Amino acid sequence: MAEIRIALAQIDTCVGDIDNNARTILERAQQAAGAGADVVVLPEMTVTGYPIEDLALRASFQRGAHAALEQVAADLASRGLGSLTVVVGTVGATRPSSDHPEPRPTNRAVVLQHGAVVASYDKHHLPNYGVFDEFRIFAPGHETCVVEVRGRRLGLVVCEDIWQDGGPVAQMAAEGVDALLVLNGSPFEEGKGHVRTELAARRAREVGAPLVYVNMVGGQDDLVFDGGSFVVGADGTVLTSAPRFVEHLLLWDLAEDADAPHRGEVAPELDQDEEIYRALVTGLTGYVRKNGFRSVVLGLSGGIDSALVAAVAADAVGGENVVGVSMPSVYSSEHSKDDAKDLAERIGATYRVQPIAPMVDAFQGELALDGVAAENLQARVRGMILMALSNAEGHLVLATGNKSELAVGYSTIYGDAVGGYAPLKDVDKSRVWALSRWRNNLALDRGEIPPIPESSITKPPSAELRPGQVDQDSLPPYDLLDEVLDAYIEHAEGRVELLARGFDADVVDRVLALVDQAEWKRRQYPLGPKVTALAFGRDRRLPITSRWREPLS
Amino acid sequence: MAEIRIALAQIDTCVGDIDNNARTILERAQQAAGAGADVVVLPEMTVTGYPIEDLALRASFQRGAHAALEQVAADLASRGLGSLTVVVGTVGATRPSSDHPEPRPTNRAVVLQHGAVVASYDKHHLPNYGVFDEFRIFAPGHETCVVEVRGRRLGLVVCEDIWQDGGPVAQMAAEGVDALLVLNGSPFEEGKGHVRTELAARRAREVGAPLVYVNMVGGQDDLVFDGGSFVVGADGTVLTSAPRFVEHLLLWDLAEDADAPHRGEVAPELDQDEEIYRALVTGLTGYVRKNGFRSVVLGLSGGIDSALVAAVAADAVGGENVVGVSMPSVYSSEHSKDDAKDLAERIGATYRVQPIAPMVDAFQGELALDGVAAENLQARVRGMILMALSNAEGHLVLATGNKSELAVGYSTIYGDAVGGYAPLKDVDKSRVWALSRWRNNLALDRGEIPPIPESSITKPPSAELRPGQVDQDSLPPYDLLDEVLDAYIEHAEGRVELLARGFDADVVDRVLALVDQAEWKRRQYPLGPKVTALAFGRDRRLPITSRWREPLS
């Protein structure tokens, strides 16, 4: 049996950007061939990007993907790469049957050799939970696929196929393969890296062969793909792994002797704050670039949320492409203005000051608002200023709200909720502080200036919409709030379970009532990167018009 | 064989409002019993409301629904209605199995008799296309259910079960029943009434027995349920039907002699404009009431869109609960202001004038905007005024944009897109005119004052954001635009097919480019009632970050 070299091409595709995705496939194939690879494996739905949602149902899109795949196969051959085996994902189609006379789209992996598609595999298990809607758009496959390369039998499956017991993996075990290649579009969530390797280890043992796991990387709408491609041996050991959150070409040799597998470099693990911070940067980078922006604008209040968003933005697009706008009102404290300016200087952002009094006064002169209407007015004037700068100068507006605020509806629609992207949408307030400290410590470790002013981290949070206001006037302390939210939202516990955990009944009732009523606000919020197991929006889908309220005391 | 009387209880449930839904079930059962019914059939998921989306996954919600169902059964018995057979829908749970040790929610129909659940049926076919996501939240059932009432065999299925060939309907045909009872939550779309009766006729012939089709009515988020419950005979004839868009208790007797079925009243058909207009009214009524509002506020520009929305609103909540705000700028024509005032008087709305110049001038004094930024500024000041009135006075804000504008992105985020609900979101501009004329003619037929000023219908549409601006400066004529949009969006045709239909290539390319780039704007738009086969939002789900563009010339 020959030893063969497999290249795991961990790349960043863009949904619908078929030409560029095809170009990237060719480049990686060339690079892999140059490094002596026999096989190059790319992520799930490489040609089309992932997830394509209802684009799958459009005939012209299917035709476009099909034509691009044929062209890639031809280009590989014409570049002298015909003998390289290239495994890519794309949108396929079922063969018409009596039950389904019209072809239906499939989530397909194909094998290219010598200018042609020599084998293909349609994903069996179509996930339809959490962020996934594949059962909606794809028809499942029912066949297995094994391709031979220099006498070695390589089985093919796609992502969810290894997350379900039985199915094609069990069939691979029965048919016998020398390695199982898995194409993935597995979105990031905290701690998921370990879950993947443990799962892959179990499947490798089931199949009795190494498992080659190739994941995509990059931000796509509200999903962040973290890469972290790897190979586990037949005994479940991680043999080699790619770094996360970057494109990478990982080479691994499938040994002649199954009992003496080759090992390669293993990427260092990331701690919890680091992986989340990097997910935020990756998500924002992808959203800005893939939507054709070059710069971002955000309001700098002097508070911790906008400071962390600015730091993430500077890491994503460069401080010189960040515009921070201080928009003080009569209620803004001096320290807020100082902290905002200090932050902008630390990260090298453009800093502007635009007081809101002239506009607020104009509205008040006409409408004479008070109470919540007057508070919201201030937030909305700020939102309009940011949108005006976006329209005039072309920056993407970032919303700075965090998950705790979003959970309880502590935000102003068309005010601080304005923006194309909300980096902290899935980051609760406790984590906002932790990430800020982590990022500052990283700077200190590197001998750099910490991006976030210390006083933004230490002062009590305030929306500064009325004199002396602090968040804790309306909300429980954030550490307590975040615990209740975690139990109620992430773990879907009810009031009974929350009280049994020892939470105070008044706090529980107050928080649950706020959460149950805030769905319409959450629905209006911009997209943000999913980093936890349960992100608002794609993961958790609720009616707006619902009179369900968790039963209270 | 006994003749039995079946009551079709076409009711308006609310998602999550379990107590009120239970109360309605009891009231209808009482009413049906009073009318001599042996059996009363209610719509799909009566206890919980429909669609419940991810509420299905919350244990406390399942417990609440279960307790309410038990209570309904007990209350029926204690009110002396134990001998009445009551068929209701609710959320059920699978029995734990080795494959699935945890119970999973099901979409269940249950039969109540003598204070107890005597039979239950879990929906087999879980739709997961268009507006539906049931495969995401429910586990499918695999058993059939037949209940005997006075010696008559009544089969039970739920909604999608009759839309799929084979499955439980085929099993009913094999097992033999005297009638098939179908509980439905079938959302409105234009022309769907006929589709339903034709389908039901086919299934009735398959089963060889009458089919009793009970549908819900009322607005629920972006779905409108139109009722229109009916009975078809074993030969496919419609034997009786309920009026649409209203609650109704329809009685029908299952004859002893299958060859001599009873006939009852058949509701008159609605023409296309009437059914859509009534769907808009039903949708808005439900959204306002179920979200706890009593009144609405909207900007009145003098144009046709806001005029139609105001007319719909007056029909939904009463003209006295509509606040119309004229917000003229320096570009507003005199006729616009006159038409706005005229409209408000015609529908009996509160009318206010709030010029935007003071606020626009304040922003311009600080920011000196021009071009699109200056145009958007005007729309956003108007949005802020409406939100301020909403916050101060508690009205629901209505957005007035139509489907044609939304398709091409001809709207200002945080400007005219502000609002909790958008009645015309799924109504294209051509239909806006048709509905306006239809509504005015209805008034003339009734000897009432037509709600919409004639000049709002006849004048050329303009956003009035710069001097002399009309929509046709930036867009093709609406009749042409709507044809292209219909082909590209509703029928998912590509450029090739559009050109083959004879559309001008320049128009096609311009429109397609606009549509492909406007997804992020559509995503930010408020909910509105689905009335066509393909509504933006729930029906058509696309990534925002997509570089897919229909290939142009």
Side-chain angles (χ1 to χ4, degrees), chain A residues 230-293:
Chain A
F230 60 86
V231 180
V232 288
D235 66 351
T237 316
V238 175
L239 299 175
T240 186
S241 64
R244 294 167 69 192
F245 300 108
V246 288
E247 291 196 307
H248 191 79
L249 191 78
L250 180 68
L251 298 168
W252 177 74
D253 294 339
L254 176 61
E256 288 185 45
D257 178 358
D259 295 329
H262 291 289
R263 287 166 185 273
E265 216 160 310
V266 172
E269 302 217 345
L270 306 180
D271 77 20
Q272 204 178 29
D273 290 327
E274 179 168 14
E275 71 168 7
I276 292 180
Y277 190 90
R278 293 191 63 186
L280 301 182
V281 172
T282 300
L284 178 57
T285 305
Y287 197 83
V288 169
R289 182 173 60 78
K290 293 176 184 179
N291 284 296
F293 289 95

Side-chain angles (χ1 to χ4, degrees), chain A residues 58 60 220-221 488 545, chain B residues 58 60 220-221 488 545 550:
Chain A
R58 182 164 278 275
S60 55
Q220 183 68 48
D221 272 10
Y488 186 56
T545 310
Chain B
R58 183 164 278 273
S60 55
Q220 183 68 47
D221 273 9
Y488 185 57
T545 311
E550 187 66 29

Side-chain angles (χ1 to χ4, degrees), chain A residues 53-94:
Chain A
E53 309 195 25
D54 286 8
L55 282 174
L57 307 174
R58 182 164 278 275
S60 55
F61 182 81
Q62 295 167 17
R63 289 195 298 261
H66 188 72
L69 181 68
E70 303 264 295
Q71 191 61 50
V72 165
D75 288 350
L76 284 167
S78 69
R79 290 184 186 194
L81 303 173
S83 60
L84 181 68
T85 297
V86 179
V87 184
V88 300
T90 189
V91 61
T94 56

